[in-house]
Amino acid sequence: MRKHTNTILITLLLVFAGGVFADSAQAQSVTDRLEAYIQQTGEMLRHAADLVSDAPNPRSVRILEQARLDHQRSIKLAQSDQPKMAFAHSERARQGARQAGRIARELSGDTERLQRRLERYMELRERVGERVHESGDERALRFLRESESQARRARELQKQGDIALALQVLEGAEDLLGRAARIAFEEGGKDRFERELERTRVFVERISNEHGNDPHAADLLTSAKMALRRAEEAAAQGHLVRALKSLQLARRLASRAAAPDERLDEAAIERQIERFDQRMERVSTRVRDSGSDRAGQVLQRALQHRERAASLLDQAKLEPALRQIKAGLDLLAAADDLAG
Amino acid sequence: MTGAVCLAGALCMAGGAASTAHAGSNWDFPLSSGYDIYVHDYFLAESDTTEVIQEFNFTAAANGSSEFSARNRWFMRAGLSGGTELYRQSLDTGFRLRNKERHEWLRGDLLMLARQFREGSEYSLSSNNHEGRMTGALSPWTTDNMAVELRARGRYVNYERPSTLEVDYVDGSAGAYLRSPSRSFRTWRVGGLYTARDYPDSGAIDREGFILEGDYDHGRLEGVLRAYHRSERRNIADPDARPSAWFHWTELDTAHPTSRAEVVLRASSEVWDYDEASGAWYDSWQLGGQAGARWGDPLNTRVETLITAEHLEAGDEPETYWQTGLRVGAETLKPELSGSISIEVGRRWYRNSTDDPDSFALEYTDYSYLAFWLMGNWMINEHFSVDVTANFEPESHTEQDDNITLGYGSLRLVWRP
């Protein structure tokens, strides 16, 4: 754009300078050309005004208004026989017309996009909001509230014509709503937790009745019952996702107490113990850094299972050794989770 | 400012006095005070212009709803806000009626918003306004697997001093959908809608639309599949004022968990096909995509890296462009601190249009961009939290006069008595 401006300016100045020494016919030619130039600037302004009226925005309106003022000034300067100044103002008016038109064209697409996205957001919010309230999950509720607050800001920005920024803010609102939905729809839900809790409790009880006399199984069942208690505590504190994870752990531990289905192999058990030891260092550091008593207790429990596994392996008791190390690995993962 | 502080004091007292929960329903009366700032920097006439709007405000809200376990439910959220720039009021209320199987068969929603600008407000658009939106949906047939939904909606926007930038309108829509049951973990819907909009002050752009759309959403904590498509025929009252058009919008969002990371793929497509392209209305096809991965615990801390790309195909129009960027981000969802931060750097290249300086055609200049985004929520304790939002987007064009910077910041202290 600047390149064009310079070319025209030099051309016009040459014409204008030449005009000083030219005869009246040449002077008339300069006047005609300036008049045509200003007239065309007027056309460009009208074109830009059409674009701006299709997609109004405070910034493009302000730039267009300034361009109109420049255009009016160029007409007056031309009438008062100041062609050089008239040209400069007309050129600036053209720049303004182009800038305003460009903003308007960009905005016309974004305005539509924002309106549709806002409508879709409202639909999703209705659907997700209800489910989040039902789930009672504190975290999901907080994401929902944050999302609604962002969406309100997006609407405010839309009202002010700040479409690009409104789209950005709305994107954040959509993301937060998605997170709330993921927690509430997929993992949360007090109804679902109650059902899962009952199912797990019955399952652990049944395994206890059937295998409680086996000392190795009893050890695993103690861990399972501890996981069950942790699930209830987490649910009471509103951490439903964590509660569901603890329930899953309780079921896995109870299953192992009942019947490991893996093929018994000494080398495989050794590999599992090695796996445990490799993870142990990282998890214990995380647990220590977190300062969580609960994570520390679960970690201790995991270590006890690991030691029993090693001892049972030395005695060539492969089946109980496998149960113990698997339980240890599960508890290690749970400690890692609690430390987070 | 003194008035604002007095207002804050009054609101705090009111909130503190009314924070008791009622039996059979849930009530919550949060109070918040915040500071918002908007910054626009662009070239105007002969120099750079920076517009800054700052607003300090207090908000009091009342959020009520029926017991979450109730079969039939209602909710109400009302808000009052007073600030250095404007006053706002909002009311968002609705109900849900369910049958014995707890499937929703009727619902209604009402949203009302009003704004009054203070004298001397720095906002460039400062006409007082109010708007409303009412939706009703009836599901005459529901099963455990799906439901038929008939839906109607009305909406209006009214300005005290309408202008070309602040336009009054009224619109309505009616349609029918087949959708997933209301208590499904996986949601989907497909259906059609008729819409009509009336602009009392500019009847030439009144319009009607025929829409077909489908939506599928299956979001897990790890792993997402979300798809949306909408096709619309839009007829304008006076095609000379604005051409009628076909519009097709498709979005796909997936996140696939693997043993090492979650692989993220997103794609979007928007097609505008005008009966007669002109002025601001030209045929175009915008394609966008993001590909990358994220690592970490979705309920704790997660980082992601994405390559972004976008292309607008607009035939011979100068808007045709290609854009690519790299985005890195992190998010944390810890109970006491949640938020996300992302930075994207990239470049956009335009197809150059014309060398004719007298042409009416608009010209665009290539630019590099940076997009910074921060959102955070810090729970100080059970009653207090701080919300922060910040956005900063400078564009550096090959033609310096085209440089634009957008910025937005918000800091808010929330009290839940």
Side-chain angles (χ1 to χ4, degrees), chain B residues 40-354:
Chain B
H40 257 173
D41 186 70
Y42 59 93
F43 188 79
L44 176 64
E46 291 179 300
S47 60
D48 286 341
T49 300
T50 303
E51 287 177 6
V52 179
I53 296 175
Q54 301 175 72
E55 190 185 347
F56 193 76
N57 63 41
F58 292 93
T59 304
N63 303 325
S65 66
S66 53
E67 278 295 328
F68 300 136
S69 55
R71 197 173 94 190
N72 297 322
R73 294 196 51 206
W74 61 269
F75 68 88
M76 195 275 287
R77 291 185 279 267
L80 279 173
S81 157
T84 51
E85 294 292 320
L86 72 159
Y87 301 100
R88 300 175 175 89
Q89 301 83 42
S90 67
L91 174 68
D92 184 3
T93 184
F95 67 87
R96 309 281 182 268
L97 300 185
R98 292 181 179 142
N99 60 19
K100 282 179 194 165
E101 289 78 36
R102 297 181 83 83
H103 291 308
E104 178 186 299
W105 67 273
L106 183 67
R107 72 185 163 106
D109 290 288
L110 175 71
L111 175 67
M112 300 290 295
L113 300 167
R115 300 168 194 85
Q116 300 88 40
F117 289 82
R118 290 171 74 110
E119 204 167 321
S121 167
E122 288 179 350
Y123 281 109
S124 50
L125 303 179
S126 55
S127 171
N128 296 343
N129 59 78
H130 55 94
E131 61 181 279
R133 169 188 162 115
M134 194 160 73
T135 307
L138 171 72
S139 299
W141 182 76
T142 56
T143 71
D144 287 341
N145 299 318
M146 65 178 73
V148 170
E149 183 175 286
L150 306 173
R151 184 189 299 186
R153 172 174 297 154
R155 182 169 52 169
Y156 80 91
V157 176
N158 185 272
Y159 288 91
E160 196 175 283
R161 301 186 308 276
S163 66
T164 49
L165 291 177
E166 291 159 309
V167 188
D168 291 349
Y169 67 80
V170 181
D171 76 11
S173 64
Y177 288 86
L178 198 60
R179 61 163 174 81
S180 54
S182 52
R183 298 178 63 76
S184 170
F185 287 121
R186 182 181 299 147
T187 63
W188 58 267
R189 91 194 148 124
V190 58
L193 198 66
Y194 171 79
T195 67
R197 179 175 289 190
D198 176 56
Y199 294 89
D201 300 318
S202 42
I205 56 170
D206 286 354
R207 70 191 194 203
E208 63 173 2
F210 299 89
I211 297 166
L212 285 176
E213 63 182 349
D215 204 348
Y216 178 85
D217 192 336
H218 189 190
R220 293 171 181 273
L221 278 173
E222 290 169 303
V224 172
L225 175 57
R226 203 170 284 141
Y228 176 73
H229 178 80
R230 174 175 184 167
S231 284
E232 178 178 352
R233 170 64 195 176
R234 184 181 290 183
N235 295 326
I236 307 292
D238 178 2
D240 291 334
R242 186 181 295 185
S244 298
W246 285 97
F247 168 68
H248 309 283
W249 177 24
T250 309
E251 287 209 334
L252 189 66
D253 182 357
T254 68
H256 180 69
T258 66
S259 58
R260 286 176 170 271
E262 209 175 3
V263 178
V264 178
L265 288 171
R266 298 185 185 121
S268 65
S269 162
E270 284 185 34
V271 178
W272 279 101
D273 182 9
Y274 289 95
D275 291 358
E276 278 190 53
S278 67
W281 317 106
Y282 53 93
D283 294 347
S284 65
W285 183 13
Q286 187 183 54
L287 272 171
Q290 296 177 2
R294 54 189 178 207
W295 300 264
D297 182 347
L299 288 174
N300 197 326
T301 302
R302 209 155 58 157
V303 294
E304 72 172 9
T305 303
L306 292 168
I307 291 171
T308 65
E310 200 172 287
H311 172 56
L312 180 79
E313 182 54 56
D316 294 332
E317 298 291 335
E319 272 93 339
T320 295
Y321 68 78
W322 293 262
Q323 177 181 305
T324 184
L326 177 69
R327 184 189 302 171
V328 291
E331 64 175 22
T332 180
L333 304 181
K334 291 181 177 175
E336 68 281 7
L337 178 70
S338 68
S340 60
I341 184 168
S342 76
I343 296 176
E344 181 175 332
V345 288
R347 187 158 177 85
R348 181 180 286 193
W349 298 267
Y350 283 99
R351 173 189 292 165
N352 270 330
S353 54
T354 172

Side-chain angles (χ1 to χ4, degrees), chain A residues 194-230:
Chain A
E194 294 293 337
R195 284 198 306 273
E196 296 279 316
L197 178 67
E198 191 52 34
R199 193 162 69 90
T200 308
R201 193 179 280 137
V202 169
F203 180 67
V204 173
E205 280 303 314
R206 183 169 63 78
I207 303 296
S208 293
N209 293 337
E210 290 170 7
H211 300 273
N213 295 329
D214 175 349
H216 305 302
D219 191 42
L220 290 165
L221 286 164
T222 305
S223 293
K225 284 171 185 168
M226 279 175 65
L228 205 58
R229 271 203 304 279
R230 277 201 305 279

